Amino acid sequence: MKKTSTRLADGRELIYYDLADDTVRDAVDRRPLDATVTTSEVRRDPLLGDSVAVASHRQGRTYHPPADECPLCPSQGDRLSEIPDASYDVVVFENRFPSLAGDSGRCEVVCFTSDHDVSFGGLSERQTRLVLDAWTDRTSELSHLPSVEQVFCFENRGAEIGVTLQHPHGQIYAYPFTTPRTALMLRQVAAHKEATGGENLFDAVLERELADERIVLEGEHWVAFVPYAAHWPYEVHLYPKRRVPDLLGLDEAARTEFPQVYLELLKRFDRIFGEGEPPTPYIAAWHQAPFGQLEEFDGVTRDDFALHLELFTIRRTSGKLKFLAGSESGMNVFINDVPPERAAERLREVASS
């Protein structure tokens, strides 16, 4: 992998990740852009103890442009985009309309390929490995920013999820705090560790799942399963079999196998609802340990956390979505219409031939 960092016309950082070591990246952003102005602010909710990012400047972000005006495609002739070069393998750049900025963290866009019409599941294994390496590198770099406590790499796919740009891409949020979801996990890890005399909760969960009927796909270094208490109609958790706290902890064997396993999972997601159905909308979310001290979690360290990816769709059956209505949105109590055992069975049925 070759990494080349440059600057866009408004001062934002852009990084090319290339498969070929001899690739030259010297294209200049020719757009007449003013310096980026953001109004991001993080406010603490005193009743719930969580944080809300207020970012009013995002109201003016790009919204469903036609394909020939896609800002994530390479620049061609007089058609100028966020990527100055005429081609690329993987590109990461600072979001022009970030939810978090400055002392409130950082938001980046990850373009998985220059091909506008492909999806992540259509990438080659080599390209997928490059994306993994880019995620890992950005996790490392962002973790050293003084305002950053947790790094979150994710992909939203599909208009039903709220995606406003159709080009295959994901995002990275670098939060200035430990997110509520991660804090809940760490509290459960701390309670389990104390109750069992030191046993790791992630290890216990993975051991139980490996012995149960909800395994979807298993390799030498990775295992994918529908969790016992899945929140979403079709939800898969992907774990490396060797517990590591973040993407940086993966060894070469796990990195090599990841593209095979993950691409197969994505292909199965598109087959869940049968032939002729539109692509399955999904969220793919990497959960990594926060950086820094974890004093508030009663003896838990970063090494007690287990890196894993959660992949889920909001489609519950053909033509119908799972809405977060009263119980889910009002009380955060999920009601799942699809038994996890049936979801796992279906995801095994649609395996690639």
Side-chain angles (χ1 to χ4, degrees):
M1 178 187 77
K2 182 180 180 182
K3 175 184 175 183
T4 306
S5 180
T6 185
R7 292 282 171 178
L8 296 173
D10 56 7
R12 289 176 293 132
E13 186 178 19
L14 179 143
I15 306 158
Y16 294 97
Y17 293 90
D18 288 296
L19 291 166
D21 291 337
D22 58 353
T23 303
V24 176
R25 298 295 185 187
D26 55 9
V28 176
D29 185 3
R30 294 180 283 128
R31 296 173 298 170
L33 298 179
D34 294 329
T36 303
V37 177
T38 62
T39 57
S40 180
E41 176 189 2
V42 173
R43 297 184 180 183
R44 184 81 169 170
D45 185 324
L47 293 180
L48 298 180
D50 60 9
S51 298
V52 176
V54 180
S56 59
H57 62 276
R58 285 174 52 80
Q59 286 282 39
R61 66 188 184 273
T62 308
Y63 187 80
H64 292 299
D68 60 357
E69 297 179 17
C70 176
L72 305 185
C73 287
S75 293
Q76 298 287 344
D78 293 331
R79 182 190 166 286
L80 305 178
S81 73
E82 288 280 64
I83 296 90
D85 218 325
S87 66
Y88 64 84
D89 292 333
V90 173
V91 163
V92 177
F93 60 88
E94 289 184 77
N95 198 323
R96 192 177 179 187
F97 304 97
S99 303
L100 307 166
D103 292 339
S104 297
R106 175 158 157 153
C107 292
E108 298 182 339
V109 177
V110 184
C111 298
F112 303 137
T113 171
S114 60
D115 188 343
H116 182 85
D117 298 316
V118 77
S119 65
F120 199 124
L123 298 181
S124 68
E125 290 186 11
R126 193 166 178 237
Q127 188 81 4
T128 301
R129 170 60 189 267
L130 184 62
V131 175
L132 176 63
D133 290 342
W135 282 331
T136 304
D137 180 71
R138 297 315 301 152
T139 296
S140 176
E141 293 291 326
L142 292 170
S143 72
H144 289 96
L145 295 180
S147 63
V148 171
E149 189 169 314
Q150 186 172 356
V151 179
F152 176 46
C153 306
F154 64 100
E155 180 193 3
N156 296 328
R157 192 244 201 157
E160 300 94 330
I161 298 294
V163 174
T164 57
L165 298 175
Q166 297 308 310
H167 194 101
H169 72 287
Q171 299 181 66
I172 302 175
Y173 276 21
Y175 297 100
F177 50 79
T178 296
T179 60
R181 182 77 178 274
T182 303
L184 283 173
M185 292 184 197
L186 290 170
R187 291 188 189 103
Q188 289 298 104
V189 169
H192 186 84
K193 190 174 186 178
E194 180 178 6
T196 60
E199 182 181 68
N200 182 272
L201 178 59
F202 285 107
D203 291 350
V205 167
L206 190 56
E207 182 179 358
R208 183 180 73 175
E209 294 292 354
L210 282 166
D212 220 318
E213 59 183 309
R214 290 176 301 277
I215 297 294
V216 172
L217 181 62
E218 185 176 358
E220 184 178 355
H221 303 284
W222 294 87
V223 60
F225 57 88
V226 177
Y228 172 75
H231 289 58
W232 298 94
Y234 291 91
E235 174 182 338
V236 175
H237 292 192
L238 176 62
Y239 276 71
K241 291 184 176 178
R242 183 178 69 87
R243 173 164 47 91
V244 295
D246 52 38
L247 289 165
L248 284 74
L250 293 174
D251 59 22
E252 182 58 29
R255 293 180 184 279
T256 299
E257 187 181 72
F258 172 76
Q260 307 160 29
V261 176
Y262 189 49
L263 291 175
E264 173 63 18
L265 279 179
L266 293 180
K267 289 179 173 67
R268 293 190 192 189
F269 256 58
D270 271 346
R271 297 192 184 101
I272 293 172
F273 304 104
E275 297 294 332
E277 287 291 316
T280 301
Y282 65 73
I283 293 174
W286 281 108
H287 291 263
Q288 306 191 79
F291 292 91
Q293 301 300 314
L294 302 176
E295 291 95 341
E296 64 182 293
F297 300 109
D298 297 326
V300 171
T301 70
R302 294 191 77 250
D303 289 336
D304 289 318
F305 195 86
L307 167 77
H308 62 284
L309 182 141
E310 297 184 8
L311 173 68
F312 61 89
T313 180
I314 63 171
R315 186 179 293 166
R316 58 186 174 86
T317 189
S318 180
K320 297 178 181 178
L321 301 181
K322 165 64 178 177
F323 291 102
L324 300 189
S327 185
E328 292 87 354
S329 294
M331 285 290 129
N332 201 28
V333 177
F334 276 68
I335 300 169
N336 192 350
D337 303 304
V338 180
E341 292 73 23
R342 174 54 191 150
E345 182 182 14
R346 178 59 181 159
L347 285 161
R348 290 193 296 267
E349 291 173 352
V350 296
S352 296
S353 57

